[in-house]
Amino acid sequence: MSTRLLLPLTAALLLTPALATSREVTLEVPGARLAATLQTPDGPQHGRPPVVLILPGSGPTNRDGDSLAGAAGTYRKLAANLAAWGIASLRPDKRGVGASTLADPREEALTFDDLVTDARAWLTWLAAQPDLGPVAVIGHSEGGTVALAAVQGQAGAAPSPARALILLATPGEDIGTTIRRQITQNPANPPELVQETNRILDALGRGERVAEVSPPLAPVFRPSVQPYLVSSLKYDPARLIAAVNVPTLIVQGDRDLQVRPEDAWLLAAAQSAARVHLARGVNHVLVPAPLDAAANFATYANGELPLERGLLTAVVEFLRQTLR
């Protein structure tokens, strides 16, 4: 199909160690004090380097890309590689994670809208820094949906300063559709569980809370997480990307256990100008992974594994082309 425009790659980048400076930065926003690492390439030759905001995936994933699944270090490694090629990065802890603190720490106080607001605040902050150049956004997994929403123009507000957008392992459908599909397709789930899932999602889609949730579904639908789900259900990645008016790169691994290659094509179908890079043999934490699911998942806890070279080449070349 015409939207399947593959990003042409040059010879693989030979990344070499380079000096970089990292410093802690903080930002006060309504309801939270956000913290992040700003990493910039050293040397006068870099002048005002382009800078990328790296938005983390779902759950308590920190600025380095470590999560409950393990210390993958995905964003730490990405930032180091970007610095080696003269590109600065800001990788924040999302509110309530790591050093980013909340005025109200209750789980039910957090919404998806908060994450979008925080991302927009970081973009505004980056654009105001006199020692930094043009700004781009990289969103990973759920962070890709946050990125898509954050670059949208707001009524009565200045346009987003983002000049480019990269979506890494980003869903192509809304969270409700994903949950329904995963629950339905799992042969271990009895029909009653599928029916309960549909009833709960129908209610949440109407903005209603569900007080009684069966134990098997509690990890997904517990009452304290329902405000977050209610707010996230309105964000449809395919609809959001259709309204994006900056250069966009969609990157998807074909051994991702969480996001399918089909998701990349759903996004590309909604945005004909977007480029797509399919990373062969690459999983959700952006490293080469075996076919075996258990061995694939084990890479999530190995922070020493390097990010896949072709994926890095695609990302760096795209940024260098769009942020000149």
Side-chain angles (χ1 to χ4, degrees), residues 35-276:
T37 297
L38 178 64
Q39 190 160 341
T40 54
D42 272 351
Q45 73 274 21
H46 295 299
R48 297 176 64 247
V51 60
V52 175
L53 173 64
I54 301 174
L55 297 175
S58 60
T61 304
N62 68 14
R63 70 182 77 183
D64 289 340
D66 302 337
S67 68
L68 295 177
T74 304
Y75 316 139
R76 168 181 53 79
K77 292 181 284 190
L78 178 59
N81 279 280
L82 292 175
W85 282 94
I87 301 169
S89 63
L90 182 84
R91 56 184 203 274
D93 287 329
K94 63 173 68 174
R95 59 168 61 199
V97 176
S100 291
T101 57
L102 294 168
D104 185 347
R106 295 175 305 145
E107 184 175 55
E108 54 265 40
L110 179 67
T111 69
F112 194 92
D113 301 320
D114 293 328
L115 303 185
V116 175
T117 298
D118 294 346
R120 286 174 172 155
W122 280 123
L123 286 172
T124 300
W125 184 87
L126 286 171
Q129 302 310 301
D131 56 341
L132 297 175
V135 180
V137 189
I138 293 178
H140 176 242
S141 191
E142 184 186 62
T145 306
V146 175
L148 283 167
V151 301
Q152 307 290 323
Q154 291 179 280
S160 169
R163 292 252 308 266
L165 171 65
I166 298 177
L167 304 175
L168 304 176
T170 296
E173 58 191 12
D174 67 86
I175 186 62
T177 301
T178 298
I179 293 173
R180 291 180 198 267
R181 174 173 52 78
Q182 291 177 344
I183 295 294
T184 301
Q185 291 179 350
N186 187 341
N189 292 331
E192 309 83 64
L193 200 69
V194 174
Q195 294 167 7
E196 182 184 3
T197 296
N198 291 332
R199 286 197 301 271
I200 292 173
L201 284 169
D202 288 344
L204 296 178
R206 297 190 296 268
E208 302 170 1
R209 304 285 185 87
V210 179
E212 298 295 329
V213 178
S214 65
L217 292 177
V220 179
F221 295 122
R222 60 189 178 277
S224 60
V225 82
Q226 289 181 24
Y228 187 86
L229 289 171
V230 167
S231 66
S232 65
L233 284 170
K234 67 184 180 184
Y235 289 94
D236 179 356
R239 179 180 57 80
L240 289 169
I241 198 173
V244 168
N245 59 5
V246 297
T248 301
L249 173 65
I250 302 164
V251 178
Q252 180 60 50
D254 65 356
R255 293 188 183 172
D256 192 325
L257 298 175
Q258 295 165 252
V259 179
R260 309 162 301 162
E262 292 94 322
D263 286 281
W265 299 127
L266 286 171
L267 293 169
Q271 174 53 273
S272 61
R275 303 178 186 183
V276 176

Side-chain angles (χ1 to χ4, degrees), residues 169 251-257 259 261 277-290 296 299 306-312:
V251 178
Q252 180 60 50
D254 65 356
R255 293 188 183 172
D256 192 325
L257 298 175
V259 179
H277 175 72
L278 291 179
R280 303 295 179 184
V282 175
N283 70 0
H284 195 67
V285 294
L286 314 183
V287 301
N296 184 325
T299 67
L307 302 185
E308 196 268 331
R309 177 72 56 85
L311 182 150
L312 285 172

